[in-house]
Amino acid sequence: MLVAISVLALLVLLVTQLVNNAASITTLGNQRIDADSQARPLFERMALDFAHLVKRSDVSYYLKTAATSMAGNDLLGFYSAVQGYYPTTPSPISVIAFRVNSDSSNSTAHNCLERMGKGLDWNGASPVNTPVVFLPLTLHGTWPSVTSSSEYDDPDSTRRTYEIIGPQVFRFEYYYIEKATGHLVSYPAAWTSLPAVAIKDVSAIVVAVAVIDPKSKVLLSNSQIATLGERLPDYASGWGPGELLARWQSALDSITNVPRPAISSIRLYERSFPISDR
Amino acid sequence: MTCLPSANPAPRRGAALIIVLAFVVLLSGLVVAYLTRAGADRQLAQASFQDTKSDLLARSALDIVVADFKQEIAYGTVVTAANIQPRRWGVPLAGETPFPNLIRRSVQGDPTGRTSSLSSGPAPSANPKRGEITSTRWNSHYLLPRASSSGNDSAPVSNFAAPDWVLVTLQGPNSAPAPSSVIGRYAYAVYDEGGLLDANVAGFPYHGSPSSSATPGLPLSDIGRKGSVAFADLRALPTTASGGFLSTGGINAVVGWRNYATVHPYSTFPNFTFDPPTLAGGTGTRFVNYFAGNPQVGTSHDFTTVAATTYLDRTDQAFITRSELIELQQEAGFGAGALQHLGTFSRERNSPTWKAGTAPITQRFYIANLNLIKPNPPLARNADIQKYFGLKWVDGTAGTVSPPTPAVPGHWQYLGSSGSAMQNGIPAFTTDPEFFQVLNYAINRTNGSDVAHILTTLSLGAALIDQYDDDTAADPLTGTTTTMIEYGGGWAVGLENTDPARPSPSASPFPPPAGMSPTPPPAISTYAMLNRPFRNVGEFGYAFRTAAGPTPTPSPNPKTLDLFSAPSPDAPILDLFTYNSAAVRSGIVNLNTQNVAVVTAILTGAFQTEQNIGPAPSPSPVASPAAKIAATNFVSATMTQAALSRAEITRLSSVVTNPPFTASEETRETIARALAEVTQTRTWGLFVDLITQTGRYPPGTTNLTQPFVVEAEKRYWLHIALDRLTGQVIDQQLEAVSE
């Protein structure tokens, strides 16, 4: 009897261990899947937006330049021939912008990656709704929210065209592959300011994001997440392929004042979006 | 002692089993849930992978299609009428409904040798299966004639056959591979977008309600003098095969949307209205200033970018993609058939293709430079005048009565672009010729030193200057308005109908015996004087052209430059001068276009003569039906023998035999005036419509006609401009098509 109970206890222990380990493995796997399924649609959406990027010398872009060097999370704004939100007489062109919301008073979007997809009206269709504007009118002059990590495009929350596209993405960084040299750069040397941006100077935009899965995110406060984001360095010209993510991982590994399980579940992703000559 | 068996041993063993089973179920549930999720994730990743794969295949396929054109250029280094245009294949047979824009499509047996026998179209056509491309989809760009006369249905006429697939293996395209080796397929059609009117430039606004009685919102003279496709009359574009034409409402929607900040339309899109043409500073003035320059002597706008003008926090616009044009058409509600004649991407290297001798002229002579030539110019202008004309101004001398020494009018001396002594011949050149060198090159076919023709060339140049300047441009000493050029061997004079220094009929201000030398030639009543800047090189046809030898009296029938006859010796002039100084520009149409409606729109509204100015000009501007007859003959002639350069506009004009073009030399030259500035032969403006599918044939498939499993599909429209002479890509734009 005692032997049987002992054997049973041992069996239960073994199976419990097995289940625990399996649970750990599947949890880790699920966390990765969570992070993957956060990053994948984000990158897919970005790929679509970049594929339809309006590449003209007579429209403006809001991108990283010497004058807009963007410490910490980056801002990205451009026109794209994709559908957007809330146009009255919808033209095929929209304003697209990406940012990580830095507004700590915004309980919904703080530390989340937001995408602005503002559908534009046809030119002259409305005295109120602004259509796509060409130079000398600029994107950021016409839609100032693209320069902000907290302001929205419309005071009416029901007409805002920002959506949370990466609720677990807390770090957003991009850099370029310069066409003339093939080098990875923070920004091309000629891009001294926004008016100097010539989109055909770059052959690709490389986007890197840091994602924390929902289960781990609850272990951290918003301010801790913001601090985490700040610890991940900006890209610096001269870094090689993959070096940004390596430095991010190294920075994460060196953090000691944040729960380790949360840190270890942070996933880093990078994807290059070609900006073809065509 | 005998141990009694337990009262309930089975339940105990059962408990253990249940506990273990519960754990197993838990474990299994955990694993199954994880695997399910991982499987879903894998499927998503796979879809993403296939999408990327399809995109890569599409870009590779586009490279292959474009490389075929480049190869064709590379093989045809000697440019002839047979190869100035890209080869056409997969087009309708004679007698079938033609597809004027279609250059080629992937079709079995085509010269590439890559295309399979599998059609991309559905079989049967009424029941398309996954992966099959209907002809309606193939014509979603509306570049083929539509079957329907109404609505926006893009289904093409019935004789359109869908392109055949090019099957791709790991080793590349293969026309008949083993089914197991196929990793994807693509099919394409290429259209002559360069032969269309660029909607970013073409068309002008109309005043009044959108109806057939609406009047142009700018002066008829600006439309009639042409010089830009902005002055093409888009009302001539058919929207149906049964007689429908593009409405003025539709045109206003396009122009008001496109040039919003320039023309300040009233009302809102798509129902714009515009000022009447008579309103000073109104729509018409702003429109003409933008497209013809302000002052209207020439323009440097290349029209590849929009005007840097703002109005009510709005700007002008450009069609960024063809899809945008199609969406605008549907929003504005004008006939979808017009899209067959409109493009959104055109580029031209503003260089001549005509050549003789060894002169590599890379840029046409900018007509606006003629505005420099005014008697007694300010010192600051002298350097440019010598650079562009080889001339130097010399003040006149009054002469004396005793001994009788004639007054010498203020005049030009011909020094050449860099000399200081008068030339006795037109100097040789290799690059950057000045005005007279270009003229001599055109009419005498030499870029070498030319002593024999200096008189005729300088005389022609002087006559052109006199046509260009007005009656107030006069020598301050003698008041003569006639351009006089002294060279190392004599004088060449132009021709003005109004010259106060002319001895007859009024008294000469310098009477005998001293008189004045040289004197202006006699006026000719039939000589049409423009006395205004040229709007296009075709207007050079108004200039008196003297024969070789001393200047003859031109009366009664002055011989002017011949820009209308097939064997014209003056024809190359049409290819060597331009109203637009941009090196690469938009809005220029392929002279060898097969799209009759495009040529019709350009010709419609052209002035037959210089005299018909005013709100109700007589003779009236060229009407659309007459323009269509002329355009039909014109296009037919280019299809028989393609034009090598704009110089061949004279040959093509000679096949136009319908009124009002045949009344006189001036009316015959209407075609040169309308077309010379807005056409080109050098650039291939291609629109590549390409669909790719990645996937595979199911294992065990032995026949390529069996269903292909499509895993991802991509469609691109590539707009590309290729320089026929160099093979260089001038510009390109890739449009990802969302369907």
Side-chain angles (χ1 to χ4, degrees):
Chain A
M1 180 68 177
L2 274 175
V3 171
I5 290 171
S6 300
V7 169
L8 180 62
L10 266 175
L11 271 177
V12 169
L13 192 67
L14 277 173
V15 176
T16 307
Q17 283 297 101
L18 197 64
V19 171
N20 278 343
N21 284 337
S24 300
I25 290 166
T26 53
T27 302
L28 281 174
N30 276 323
Q31 283 176 334
R32 172 161 285 283
I33 290 172
D34 281 340
D36 284 357
S37 51
Q38 183 84 169
R40 188 179 300 111
L42 168 66
F43 283 145
E44 291 296 314
R45 182 68 248 182
M46 281 184 173
L48 199 61
D49 291 337
F50 282 120
H52 293 84
L53 172 74
V54 174
K55 287 173 284 188
R56 291 181 63 98
S57 61
D58 53 0
V59 296
S60 77
Y61 303 84
Y62 192 76
L63 297 172
K64 202 186 293 181
T65 68
T68 50
S69 54
M70 301 179 189
N73 279 317
D74 291 345
L75 300 165
L76 182 63
F78 53 90
Y79 293 111
S80 184
V82 295
Q83 290 299 312
Y85 292 112
Y86 308 134
T88 309
T89 52
S91 78
I93 311 295
S94 299
V95 177
I96 303 299
F98 290 95
R99 68 181 186 189
V100 171
N101 194 304
S102 66
D103 183 3
S104 57
S105 66
N106 186 333
S107 59
T108 313
H110 187 211
N111 286 329
C112 296
L113 186 74
E114 291 184 302
R115 173 182 178 271
M116 178 200 199
K118 187 174 189 64
L120 301 178
D121 279 26
W122 290 103
N123 197 23
S126 159
V128 179
N129 300 331
T130 310
V132 55
V133 292
F134 289 70
L135 293 172
L137 299 185
T138 59
L139 182 80
H140 53 282
T142 310
W143 293 280
S145 65
V146 301
T147 67
S148 167
S149 59
S150 57
E151 298 298 319
Y152 284 100
D153 57 312
D154 200 309
D156 178 358
S157 61
T158 62
R159 288 193 54 80
R160 286 177 186 164
T161 57
Y162 279 92
E163 62 183 332
I164 298 173
I165 193 170
Q168 280 87 50
V169 177
F170 65 97
R171 184 72 171 90
F172 170 60
E173 179 76 15
Y174 65 89
Y175 54 98
Y176 309 95
I177 299 176
E178 192 174 35
K179 184 172 295 165
T181 61
H183 293 162
L184 306 181
V185 291
S186 292
Y187 42 81
W191 292 14
T192 52
S193 62
L194 287 173
V197 169
I199 197 68
K200 293 195 172 182
D201 287 348
V202 296
S203 56
I205 294 179
V206 186
V207 173
V209 293
V211 184
I212 184 166
D213 71 279
K215 286 192 184 74
S216 307
K217 193 175 183 183
V218 297
L219 300 174
L220 303 176
S221 67
N222 260 334
S223 65
Q224 280 178 311
I225 294 174
T227 308
L228 264 182
E230 288 164 11
R231 297 286 293 271
L232 306 182
D234 288 332
Y235 179 83
S237 291
W239 290 2
E243 193 169 345
L244 176 69
L245 293 199
R247 287 184 185 246
W248 279 9
Q249 190 58 58
S250 170
L252 289 172
D253 293 344
S254 67
I255 294 172
T256 54
N257 56 351
V258 173
R260 198 64 223 163
I263 297 283
S264 62
S265 64
I266 290 172
R267 313 283 171 198
L268 307 177
Y269 299 90
E270 193 173 68
R271 180 161 165 183
S272 176
F273 299 96
I275 309 293
S276 71
D277 281 344
R278 292 165 168 170
Chain B
M1 193 174 81
T2 305
C3 288
L4 292 173
S6 170
N8 53 354
R12 273 193 204 149
R13 286 198 296 274
L17 187 64
I18 287 167
I19 290 168
V20 171
L21 277 177
F23 276 115
V24 169
V25 168
L26 192 65
L27 196 63
S28 303
L30 208 64
V31 171
V32 167
Y34 177 71
L35 289 179
T36 306
R37 189 147 186 235
D41 190 59
R42 186 181 169 280
Q43 277 186 349
L44 286 172
Q46 185 69 10
S48 179
F49 169 72
Q50 289 296 343
D51 192 61
T52 305
K53 206 167 120 183
S54 183
D55 194 60
L56 288 173
L57 177 61
R59 288 170 191 269
S60 302
L62 282 170
D63 286 342
I64 292 170
V65 174
V66 171
D68 285 341
F69 285 97
K70 288 183 176 175
Q71 198 68 26
E72 200 176 325
I73 290 170
Y75 282 144
T77 47
V78 178
V79 180
T80 65
N83 65 20
I84 183 82
Q85 287 289 290
R87 288 179 65 186
R88 292 188 179 233
W89 63 70
V91 297
L93 302 171
E96 294 181 336
T97 303
F99 307 149
N101 302 328
L102 182 64
I103 291 175
R104 66 181 63 156
R105 63 188 170 92
S106 49
V107 62
Q108 185 195 21
D110 66 28
T112 69
R114 299 184 202 102
T115 313
S116 75
S117 58
L118 293 174
S119 171
S120 61
S125 60
N127 185 25
K129 295 185 282 293
R130 179 177 162 80
E132 295 175 335
I133 318 294
T134 64
S135 57
T136 302
R137 274 190 74 199
W138 273 115
N139 193 30
S140 62
H141 42 56
Y142 295 91
L143 289 172
L144 295 164
R146 296 190 312 145
S148 170
S149 287
S150 59
N152 291 324
D153 183 5
S154 66
V157 289
S158 58
N159 61 318
F160 173 74
D164 295 336
W165 290 114
V166 178
L167 302 173
V168 182
T169 67
L170 288 173
Q171 284 71 43
N174 188 329
S175 61
S180 58
S181 65
V182 176
I183 59 167
R185 58 187 186 179
Y186 68 88
Y188 65 90
V190 183
Y191 300 86
D192 181 18
E193 189 172 21
L196 307 180
L197 291 167
D198 189 339
N200 286 310
V201 187
F204 52 82
Y206 286 83
H207 167 64
S209 59
S211 68
S212 57
S213 61
T215 54
L218 50 152
L220 293 181
S221 57
D222 287 310
I223 299 166
R225 287 170 185 159
K226 302 294 180 178
S228 165
V229 292
F231 304 117
D233 193 336
L234 302 190
R235 290 179 304 180
L237 298 182
T239 54
T240 66
S242 54
F245 290 92
L246 183 55
S247 65
T248 53
I251 297 169
N252 278 357
V254 171
V255 176
W257 172 85
R258 182 187 73 198
N259 299 116
Y260 187 87
T262 296
V263 298
H264 304 181
Y266 302 106
S267 191
T268 54
F269 174 85
N271 305 308
F272 294 123
T273 59
F274 298 93
D275 293 321
T278 49
L279 181 69
T283 297
T285 305
R286 288 192 293 268
F287 185 89
V288 175
N289 285 351
Y290 176 58
F291 284 103
N294 183 20
Q296 284 137 27
V297 296
T299 180
S300 58
H301 276 302
D302 59 15
F303 303 107
T304 59
T305 56
V306 305
T309 307
T310 64
Y311 173 64
L312 302 177
D313 291 331
R314 306 283 191 273
T315 61
D316 281 4
Q317 302 277 315
F319 290 105
I320 292 165
T321 60
R322 182 166 184 85
S323 304
E324 190 175 15
L325 171 66
I326 293 166
E327 289 197 38
L328 184 138
Q329 171 269 321
Q330 290 172 3
E331 190 76 26
F334 61 82
L339 296 172
Q340 196 191 156
H341 317 292
L342 294 171
T344 55
F345 181 90
S346 63
R347 296 287 185 273
E348 186 226 4
R349 188 180 298 288
N350 198 357
S351 302
T353 45
W354 182 89
K355 70 173 186 178
T358 55
I361 295 181
T362 55
Q363 183 75 19
R364 295 184 172 115
F365 188 89
Y366 185 33
I367 291 174
N369 287 331
L370 282 164
N371 209 37
L372 293 167
I373 301 290
K374 299 280 169 60
N376 196 26
L379 283 176
R381 201 179 283 175
N382 286 346
D384 277 347
I385 290 175
Q386 182 160 8
K387 177 183 173 186
Y388 294 120
F389 294 89
L391 297 178
K392 176 190 170 189
W393 177 257
V394 178
D395 289 336
T397 53
T400 58
V401 176
S402 180
T405 308
V408 178
H411 62 278
W412 301 96
Q413 286 183 339
Y414 182 62
L415 310 178
S417 58
S418 59
S420 56
M422 281 193 289
Q423 300 283 336
N424 63 356
I426 303 293
F429 70 91
T430 51
T431 56
D432 300 324
E434 40 84 356
F435 180 70
F436 296 99
Q437 286 173 315
V438 179
L439 279 180
N440 195 61
Y441 176 58
I443 60 179
N444 295 312
R445 275 71 167 164
T446 177
N447 62 313
S449 178
D450 187 359
V451 175
H453 300 107
I454 186 167
L455 173 61
T456 49
T457 300
L458 292 182
S459 298
L460 172 60
L464 284 165
I465 292 167
D466 285 337
Q467 284 285 352
Y468 190 94
D469 61 21
D470 60 22
D471 285 340
T472 65
D475 164 39
L477 176 72
T478 62
T480 183
T481 53
T482 302
T483 298
M484 300 180 177
I485 302 174
E486 185 182 10
Y487 62 97
W491 290 78
V493 294
L495 185 58
E496 288 274 11
N497 274 356
T498 302
D499 190 334
R502 183 173 284 126
S504 173
S506 58
S508 168
F510 296 92
M516 176 178 132
S517 180
T519 54
I524 311 162
S525 59
T526 54
Y527 185 56
M529 288 299 304
L530 301 185
N531 284 329
R532 60 166 176 80
F534 298 124
R535 282 291 183 85
N536 60 75
V537 64
E539 291 184 338
F540 278 30
Y542 283 104
F544 172 68
R545 186 199 201 282
T546 184
T551 306
T553 301
S555 183
N557 294 311
K559 176 169 172 46
T560 57
L561 282 176
D562 173 0
L563 300 182
F564 70 97
S565 70
S568 165
D570 306 326
I573 282 176
L574 293 173
D575 200 27
L576 296 173
F577 292 85
T578 180
Y579 187 79
N580 187 312
S581 65
V584 173
R585 55 182 174 162
S586 273
I588 306 301
V589 175
N590 179 6
L591 181 59
N592 294 306
T593 181
Q594 296 187 8
N595 195 316
V596 171
V598 168
V599 180
T600 305
I602 297 172
L603 289 177
T604 300
F607 272 12
Q608 300 171 45
T609 70
E610 178 63 8
Q611 274 70 41
N612 54 359
I613 298 173
S618 177
S620 58
V622 174
S624 175
K628 185 180 178 186
I629 296 170
T632 304
N633 290 335
F634 190 96
V635 168
S636 175
T638 61
M639 289 171 69
T640 304
Q641 181 187 340
L644 287 169
S645 76
R646 296 195 327 200
E648 295 197 41
I649 288 176
T650 61
R651 170 177 69 84
L652 300 170
S653 300
S654 70
V655 304
V656 174
T657 53
N658 63 299
F661 297 100
T662 50
S664 64
E665 179 178 337
E666 189 179 6
T667 58
R668 285 180 183 280
E669 287 177 351
T670 301
I671 291 171
R673 293 194 296 275
L675 291 178
E677 184 60 40
V678 300
T679 55
Q680 59 88 23
T681 59
R682 179 175 180 138
T683 310
W684 289 0
L686 309 173
F687 177 95
V688 183
D689 178 14
L690 178 130
I691 297 177
T692 59
Q693 294 175 343
T694 49
R696 60 193 160 75
Y697 281 98
T701 303
T702 54
N703 191 333
L704 291 169
T705 58
Q706 288 182 292
F708 181 78
V709 180
V710 178
E711 288 165 337
E713 181 181 291
K714 284 278 175 187
R715 185 175 193 182
Y716 279 113
W717 290 343
L718 174 66
H719 311 253
I720 185 168
L722 285 173
D723 187 331
R724 170 61 187 87
L725 299 195
T726 65
Q728 186 188 359
V729 176
I730 297 172
D731 201 357
Q732 57 184 325
Q733 179 198 329
L734 186 62
E735 182 177 347
V737 182
S738 303
E739 295 175 295

